[in-house]
Amino acid sequence: MIELRNVTYIYNEGAEDEKTALSDVTLSIGEGEFVALVGHNGSGKSTLAKLFNGLIEPKSGTVTVNGMRTTNHKDLFDIRKTVGVVFQNPDNQMVASVIEDDVAFGPENLGLPSAEISERVDWALQSVGMGEHRKGTPFRLSGGQKQRIAIAGVLAIKPRVMVLDESTAMLDPVGREEVMRVITRLNKEEKMTVVMITHFMDEAALADRIIVLKNGRVAGEGGKEIFRNRALIESAGLELPLAARIAAELRECGVELQGEITLPEELADALCR
Ligand code: ADP
Ligand code: MG
């Protein structure tokens, strides 16, 4: 669905404050995958998210979305229908004072007939578990509920890929869990491709594949076994997921634990065994 080849991106090129945000990044996101993109602040994660849907163009290298180059301006509309991005702050993503109008904003801009818009709004709100709030106002909702409305707004466009750029960062643990539950369900049941940008390793542990970014370069990637590579994770300025950290320290003390352990349930299972 998304392919980057040797991508370099430079902010303010030629100016005194020139900054190379990405250097020679090659990566791909397959259809139906749930990928976590992790890295310290400033490692280039948001720059990648903006490249994914053609908000910015690479300085060199190529970004291809479902076969379309993001530098092909005639394809930009289709690219943005294909890759939907949810950002960090839900308050900046609300455009209307009634929830259903807010969620309808995207499909309206696609010029869809009103019956289909209404259907999509229904489906999107149901998908995030906010169906009964359709006629309500977003302003009194909790952070987690607001972010779910923002996700519904992107869902209503029916993108094939959903990119969440630290979309849980401003939420409390309950709100984070609500959003993660919705995202995992969309990936598993609706087969939506998900790219989850996060610095919460416990969220990254829910993904099928993890890509670690460090100083604008891919420092490593792999399945959950990547959390066995403590040096890699820590050199990227990150922490292991809590369950993986406890498992690593128990193993160092000689406790035998079977299998990959990244989730609390897996740690509990291994300890019981
Ligand atoms: P992350 O999302 O991982 O925190 P970003 O992609 O936002 O990282 O930033 C990567 C690097 O590019 C950082 O050093 C950041 O300071 C710089 N940067 C990001 N946006 C801009 C901008 N609009 N102008 C100049 N530099 C920027
Ligand atoms: Mg960022």
Side-chain angles (χ1 to χ4, degrees):
M1 289 307 296
I2 299 181
E3 182 155 53
L4 271 70
R5 283 218 184 129
N6 308 106
V7 166
T8 294
Y9 189 82
I10 303 170
Y11 286 103
N12 308 326
E13 197 176 4
E16 218 168 276
D17 55 351
E18 173 176 304
K19 171 78 198 175
T20 301
L22 295 172
S23 312
D24 199 28
V25 170
T26 294
L27 60 84
S28 61
I29 313 284
E31 180 155 29
E33 264 197 306
F34 183 170
V35 176
L37 197 59
V38 301
H40 200 253
N41 268 347
S43 59
K45 304 182 298 296
S46 293
T47 305
L48 271 180
K50 287 184 266 179
L51 284 163
F52 286 167
N53 78 343
L55 280 173
I56 56 175
E57 291 178 5
K59 156 80 184 154
S60 62
T62 56
V63 180
T64 315
V65 172
N66 198 20
M68 299 173 281
R69 283 270 180 93
T70 59
T71 43
N72 252 346
H73 292 176
K74 67 167 182 40
D75 288 336
L76 270 184
F77 188 69
D78 282 336
I79 287 170
R80 294 197 183 135
K81 270 199 296 186
T82 308
V83 181
V85 185
V86 181
F87 293 98
Q88 188 175 82
N89 186 342
D91 289 324
N92 296 344
Q93 298 173 74
M94 298 288 154
V95 292
S97 55
V98 179
I99 288 172
E100 65 177 350
D101 297 341
D102 195 86
V103 178
F105 186 76
E108 269 165 7
N109 280 321
L110 295 179
L112 296 170
S114 58
E116 177 160 8
I117 294 175
S118 179
E119 226 169 81
R120 285 189 180 203
V121 169
D122 246 350
W123 168 78
L125 283 172
Q126 296 291 347
S127 294
V128 300
M130 293 292 287
E132 72 278 24
H133 291 82
R134 185 169 175 151
K135 303 279 177 197
T137 165
F139 305 115
R140 256 188 293 231
L141 300 176
S142 71
Q145 288 174 317
K146 280 187 199 169
Q147 197 59 291
R148 277 148 68 199
I149 299 295
I151 291 170
V154 175
L155 263 185
I157 300 167
K158 297 213 168 176
R160 295 176 68 181
V161 185
M162 173 98 82
V163 179
L164 297 111
D165 187 359
E166 309 230 31
S167 306
T168 62
M170 300 183 74
L171 308 181
D172 60 22
V174 175
R176 281 214 312 265
E177 210 182 303
E178 286 172 13
V179 169
M180 288 312 293
R181 209 177 307 130
V182 167
I183 292 307
T184 336
R185 196 190 66 75
L186 286 170
N187 173 253
K188 299 287 174 274
E189 288 169 26
E190 312 269 348
K191 311 285 173 226
M192 182 169 281
T193 308
V194 173
V195 182
M196 173 92 202
I197 297 176
T198 183
H199 61 254
F200 293 109
M201 291 302 110
D202 293 308
E203 291 178 1
L206 296 167
D208 304 321
R209 191 156 61 90
I210 297 105
I211 301 178
V212 182
L213 219 59
K214 181 181 169 187
N215 296 330
R217 293 178 185 273
V218 174
E221 65 176 292
K224 296 186 203 308
E225 73 279 0
I226 204 165
F227 293 121
R228 290 257 188 145
N229 191 345
R230 199 171 182 169
L232 166 71
I233 301 295
E234 287 178 357
S235 80
L238 302 167
E239 279 189 341
L240 292 179
L242 181 59
R245 214 175 336 147
I246 295 173
E249 292 187 6
L250 286 171
R251 279 172 176 142
E252 277 165 31
C253 299
V255 178
E256 267 183 51
L257 296 170
Q258 308 285 311
E260 294 308 331
I261 298 172
T262 48
L263 302 174
E265 300 76 26
E266 292 165 348
L267 177 61
D269 279 352
L271 283 172
C272 288
R273 256 185 269 133

